[in-house]
Amino acid sequence: MSKKWVYLYEDVDEAEKLVGGNWDNVKALLGGKGANLAEMWRIGVPVPPGFTVTTEACNAYLAAGEKFPEGMWEQELAAMKALEEKTGKKFGDPKNPLLVSCRSGAKFSMPGMMDTVLNIGMNDETAAGMVELTGDERFVYDAYRRLIQMFGSVVLGIPDEPFEEALDELKRKRGVKSDTELTAADWKELTETFKQIVKREIRRDFPQDPYEQLRLATEAVFKSWNGKRAVDYRNATGIPHNLGTAVNIVTMVFGNMGWDSGTGVAFTRNPATGEKKLYGDYLLNAQGEDVVAGIRNTKPIAELEKEMPETYRQFLDICTKLERHYKDMQDVEFTIERGKLWMLQTRDGKRTAKAAVKIAVDMANEGLITKEQAVMRVKPSDVDTLMHPQFDPEVKKQAVLEGRLLAKGVNASPGAAVGMVAFDADLAEQWGKAGKPVIMVRPFTKPDDVHGMIAARGILTSEGGATSHAAVVARQFGKPCVVGASDLTIDLERRQMSVNGLIVKEGEYISIDGATGEAFLGEIPTITPRFEEQTELLTLLSWADEFRKLQVWANADYPKDALRARAYGAQGIGLCRTEHMFFEPERLPIVQRMILAKTEEERQKALDELLPFQRSDFEGIFKAMDGLPVIIRLIDPPLHEFMPSERQLLEEIIEMRVKGITEGLAEKEALLAAIESMHESNPMMGLRGIRLSIVMPGIVKMQVRAIFEAACNMAKQGVVVKPEVMIPLAGHVNELKVIQPQLEAVAQEVMREKGITVEYKFGTMIEVPRAAVTADEIASVAQFFSFGTNDLTQMTFGYSRDDAEARFLLQYVEMGILPKNPFQTIDRAGVGELMKMAVQKGRATRPDLEVGICGEHGGDPESIEFCHLINQNYVSCSPFRVPVARLAAAHAAIKHKQ
Amino acid sequence: MSKKWVYLYEDVDEAEKLVGGNWDNVKALLGGKGANLAEMWRIGVPVPPGFTVTTEACNAYLAAGEKFPEGMWEQELAAMKALEEKTGKKFGDPKNPLLVSCRSGAKFSMPGMMDTVLNIGMNDETAAGMVELTGDERFVYDAYRRLIQMFGSVVLGIPDEPFEEALDELKRKRGVKSDTELTAADWKELTETFKQIVKREIRRDFPQDPYEQLRLATEAVFKSWNGKRAVDYRNATGIPHNLGTAVNIVTMVFGNMGWDSGTGVAFTRNPATGEKKLYGDYLLNAQGEDVVAGIRNTKPIAELEKEMPETYRQFLDICTKLERHYKDMQDVEFTIERGKLWMLQTRDGKRTAKAAVKIAVDMANEGLITKEQAVMRVKPSDVDTLMHPQFDPEVKKQAVLEGRLLAKGVNASPGAAVGMVAFDADLAEQWGKAGKPVIMVRPFTKPDDVHGMIAARGILTSEGGATSHAAVVARQFGKPCVVGASDLTIDLERRQMSVNGLIVKEGEYISIDGATGEAFLGEIPTITPRFEEQTELLTLLSWADEFRKLQVWANADYPKDALRARAYGAQGIGLCRTEHMFFEPERLPIVQRMILAKTEEERQKALDELLPFQRSDFEGIFKAMDGLPVIIRLIDPPLHEFMPSERQLLEEIIEMRVKGITEGLAEKEALLAAIESMHESNPMMGLRGIRLSIVMPGIVKMQVRAIFEAACNMAKQGVVVKPEVMIPLAGHVNELKVIQPQLEAVAQEVMREKGITVEYKFGTMIEVPRAAVTADEIASVAQFFSFGTNDLTQMTFGYSRDDAEARFLLQYVEMGILPKNPFQTIDRAGVGELMKMAVQKGRATRPDLEVGICGEHGGDPESIEFCHLINQNYVSCSPFRVPVARLAAAHAAIKHKQ
């Protein structure tokens, strides 16, 4: 007996048993859509009879060089028989023809990425029979011509254009504007024209045999798994390429059989805000594509209650049932055929970040899910989105007064975005990759446009609703999006759009507010959302805090950043970069004097001038972090970074020389010589960090004095200070053995002077591979480690980050040589291996060694998971990412429980 | 009972038993000198009675804050009693006084570095008694004043100058030139003067109590262990600081008791050439210091045969006995007192590289030692010395004809050296550290001068013989040295020397030939010694080959280098750098055209032009290495290295702009823009190696084509070719997975075209830490590894070598932060750990993985030992170091046998 390739709904128990009772595996086998159709059937939701050809069949088909696996077609035919029995109709029978749809359905939803053919089973004979049966010739030939067009496009590879042109031509001939004005005869004529197009394009007749239609459509869905759009989408979303798609064959139901019919899509809660209220659109007397494509203007789902109160109530009940069953907000499709409600699909609904948080918290409060589940429901990137800037409402008001409000559309995906208008996806991608801010503007978007949407800061369309392609994709990628801004007239040929006589050309700046649906001319400044007002988010994060093991600290150089970090929940400062303070205008000249000093006295004098500045910075930070640890990193960059540009100076000097100008030349030449003498061929690996401290200890001694003077001063005021002094770039324990005692001596000296003692630590960054390899030795001196994963990644890979990203790194990621950019997500196999080694070796020497991370990775969820796995004490990231990190740390702890 | 601190010769068995029968431990306890005195006594060689205070006593004395350990002084007094019994004399007895010397003697010989006091036991009374006893007042007061001077200087810390001045003053007063012209009364008067000097300088009388003399002298020797000279010497030679020195108290014998007395030093074989013939100097009627200090002109030892045939024969027998006993060439000191021969010291003699090889081979051939011992007797650095350039004899002849031969002296240490004259050690050190070539020129050298000698390329003195301080130290450090060039008049005040009216000022260049004893004005070019004529070296290396496990390959970019490497014993080419070929004048313009190409066609055209050049280079190398593997590395450096200087171009352009010159400006600007677009902030970690190959595969495809065309062409001529293609800088296995198949396809294509198949491998360098950490993955694609330890060291430490060495690395080594420069000797704890990991992980994936090293470390003996320990297959180094590596590999294998 051959393998089971085809599952009727009633076979779902068998499928479930086969895969070990795991619903995820059922979805892998039957696809999400197929599994959910069967599941709906199982829990008593009305679904049109149908069956599913498995993803395994798809994979077998593709692996065999596009041949159905043994027995599959026979099983599909048998399933058709079962449908005939259930519906009382017969496939290809002119008297009472069974029509079916053929849709793809993979394990993970890939909206619009793969193909669908409707109305399979129609041919000249069945069409005629259906006219007799329904008495509605117009409906029948509309359906028939749809089959020919879809089949032509999806199965036979004929482009849409000739079909669209023929329809337009006919409308022109009849002098009408909309499809609905065409008569039954017109549709019948168009059907003939479509058949001729097929014949002309592929030199074959449109297949009249329903079974041939079914077979070819099944194959087309299988093949669509490897279509370019699908592959691109999977690459963009990280869906594996080896899953395959299932094929769902479902009895057709029609929403366009008159005004007692209709079709719609809905979310069981608002996918933009999370509000617990049905949200969606429908159209009466229409096919499903009309709603989804966003071409016809749909009605909000609430209106259905007035138009069809009974059906609406039934629909509401089903939605509640589905949500309770799946324990998540559902995205459903339905059709009403002559008053009878059919559910065509249900799946977990995509949602905005805001909605994700609200729904998770609400559902936990409703008792539908646990706190732990609620925490896992929200992605760290959702929290990130909620931390994003939004437009300053005052400036926005002003812009409205100035007449800069271009249009108002549907608020499809929240967030504020400012960028240059690009009218196609390729240009948007090109500009986006070049680092330009782009708003992609289109009448509507199609799956082909996704690459441009990913590259854009935001998306604006003149057509479509909240469930249009543009809206769905934008929400998924967290891009601000406004759709259906119908006042806009977009002229793709002239690369411009107009509204009320105002013309916006490609490349001009606009601003869109995805939360309100507004689009503005020009750039509107953004402000930071008020974290403390996001009640549900605060609740969710407090739950996350209950689960996580990692502490979350923040990188902050200034008291104001420290305060913000603390407000966001930071439990310490993991990195305070002292050299940033050197760059401030009033200080830089002193720093330069210190660097250029010819005598030790001169240098000390400059350092003495710098000390009060540093001390007061530190005082502010200690105060802000009262009671919490503050890691202060001593000077790290090479000194030439504080000097004027060598190139500019050189140009000035050459010019002066050529022109014979002598005044001031000698001075400039001396300065140039000094800067040149600091030149290094690879400054990242030159005289900086601890090396600089050893060669020129004056600077760090001043810094340590400033730190401890500040700490003692604050301690005297009753602030609980916990300074931790971090010496960067150590690669050999002897470096620490040389400098650390000198610095501790300064600390002791200051505390004696001040007559007060504070708790402190001295530690180092692990950012040189050698430090990781010899961490056991390093830990004999250092009291804490902090991974500087930016440099550690640079040196472990041998990549200079700037050079690499400009020249080959992004190409490496695109080519799949590197799965991710290792500067964004820790490379576990390489850099991570060294980190693991460092933690193990370090703790072998010093069991209570405090280990953290202060590189950019400290705010990246996947990297945070890794930090959890290697038993770090904390991660430290930018203040804005603290909430993200809190959630990510909770995810890691829950995921790797026990 | 207190510990045994003092050993008479006859206690040597007890000492040996105490330390477990290990002679090295006996030397550690009694010092080399003391142990050998006892040993000579044990085998029946005449040594003056004496005893040794142990190194343990010294350490205990220093550790206790300069206090003798309990019981030590009592034991020393008891030993003195024993001496009195043996000699029949009595310490401090005017009638028959016992005199003793007090000398330091550490485990390892530190010639002249520590202090000695002779004639202890003399005072006013014993002097008078000795005059009665010997009837030789002149001898007695010469000896007494010597004691006062030495004691004053060594024990009481009085500088030599006042004593020397008093002597000079006396000679002036007497109108004589040499010491021998002074009368007994003069010496007596001088003795009184010396006593007054002591009183004046330290406000105390010279101690008349012999036991106080002995006690203070013993303490002085202990303290001298931590004197600056001794510490410096130990730092320079790597002797540990915790060994301590023993004190040897030996009955005085006098070589200055008339013309039947004498003293000398000798080597049992020639320490410069290794010839099996006594070599040394002596003086009749003289004290030992007169010979060693090189102040009086000595006679060659051979003349003793004529002057004292019986004594000479006795001496020859003793030398033979000692050599047979110690199984090594001995460096001995002797004194003849009134016809009676006494041996004062024996130790393994220091020798030149040439002598080391010859003595080792001869002794093995004589059956005195085994081949294995012979191999271990020669240091790899000795072999290196023998590979050093020597002067071109033709040019030297010419220089003689031109009158540039300044002087001829004693050929004290072979080798050719060219440098600027520096007349003192401090200047020599200063210039040497600044990278200038220096020849240090002095009348004679003292222990204080060693730091300058180490920094100099060579040493030239106008005084002293083959065993003078300058000669001994120069030989030890492998520095070319000419001593006793008495024609030179050195004027230290005017910083110049003159010879026959010719004046050479400080800073002028001279050339010295340590093998012939010649000194020339100006720079004389050097040539390479003829390896194949160094018979003993060839023999020794052939023995080394029998023991070593590691293969030795060579780095060679050109056929002539490959030929040389093979002649030196290379078993393969471990690194052929293809890009060096790009820099040749006729090729560079094509390379630049290739880099700047705007179209793929242009680029391919330039590559097609380069191909024949590369092919013919490879043909030559394959031919030279017939039958042996040749690893060819594909292009490694970033492309901008092949472009003209950005800075120069910029200066030209600014100048043209300012002057308003337009002709050719646009072109230059375009070129500058192109070069600027290649600019990287850390080029070492930018677009180079495999990254460049992936981004721009045309170049490496051309190179692989050239390699395989060359290989096939040669194979057709009957040459056995074994090409191994090395892809540099891989850090992720996917990089190899992308490029290696493309290159193998080219190889296959060429072999198909040529109709012949050759064996080949594709592999990679391990030079990025990540490659080492993920070596298991890398080895799934790479068929061989070659450690690029230069880059691996750079990235593991995070050091840019040039920047680091210019700014902090040498300081790190001086400060002891790094034990060695990690670019010279592999850092085992860091870089080495990664290498070990790479070998283990790589072989776990591919058990037959070929692993080698092609970084500079491949020629460093200590690094070679490490490569042996981690089971590499081969080391590859520059051709000139191949013989060094052969010996070092043998040492590693023998040292870590079993």
Side-chain angles (χ1 to χ4, degrees), chain B residues 270-290:
Chain B
N270 186 315
T273 64
E275 198 190 355
K276 194 181 173 187
K277 199 175 152 191
L278 267 191
Y279 177 93
D281 314 88
Y282 74 99
L283 281 169
L284 290 188
N285 199 11
Q287 284 275 59
E289 312 91 78
D290 302 336

Side-chain angles (χ1 to χ4, degrees), chain B residues 404-512:
Chain B
R404 284 164 55 202
L405 177 59
L406 290 173
K408 218 172 153 166
V410 177
N411 52 342
S413 177
V418 179
M420 296 154 66
V421 172
F423 285 115
D424 68 68
D426 291 341
L427 182 68
E429 185 182 36
Q430 183 192 322
W431 283 359
K433 281 197 171 171
K436 293 180 189 170
V438 181
I439 306 290
M440 181 166 139
V441 180
R442 294 287 296 174
F444 55 92
T445 66
K446 291 168 298 168
D448 293 345
D449 295 323
V450 171
H451 63 289
M453 299 171 75
I454 291 171
R457 297 275 173 93
I459 296 109
L460 171 62
T461 72
S462 55
E463 304 172 10
T467 51
S468 63
H469 177 264
V472 170
V473 173
R475 280 198 293 272
Q476 182 179 1
F477 291 109
K479 304 277 179 187
C481 177
V482 174
V483 296
S486 48
D487 288 349
L488 295 177
T489 309
I490 298 174
D491 184 339
L492 294 178
E493 269 195 12
R494 299 169 69 183
R495 316 300 290 178
Q496 65 182 40
M497 60 183 172
S498 59
V499 51
N500 300 328
L502 186 73
I503 287 175
V504 182
K505 291 198 176 289
E506 194 156 60
E508 279 192 68
Y509 271 89
I510 62 169
S511 304
I512 64 169

Side-chain angles (χ1 to χ4, degrees), chain A residues 771-790:
Chain A
V773 174
T774 62
D776 43 352
E777 292 172 16
I778 303 262
S780 71
V781 182
Q783 294 171 287
F784 64 85
F785 283 178
S786 175
F787 287 113
T789 44
N790 295 357

Side-chain angles (χ1 to χ4, degrees), chain B residues 385-417:
Chain B
T385 302
L386 295 176
M387 304 301 292
H388 272 162
Q390 298 172 353
F391 290 131
D392 182 335
E394 289 310 307
V395 182
K396 219 165 80 169
K397 250 187 236 164
Q398 192 56 37
V400 172
L401 291 176
E402 288 166 10
R404 284 164 55 202
L405 177 59
L406 290 173
K408 218 172 153 166
V410 177
N411 52 342
S413 177

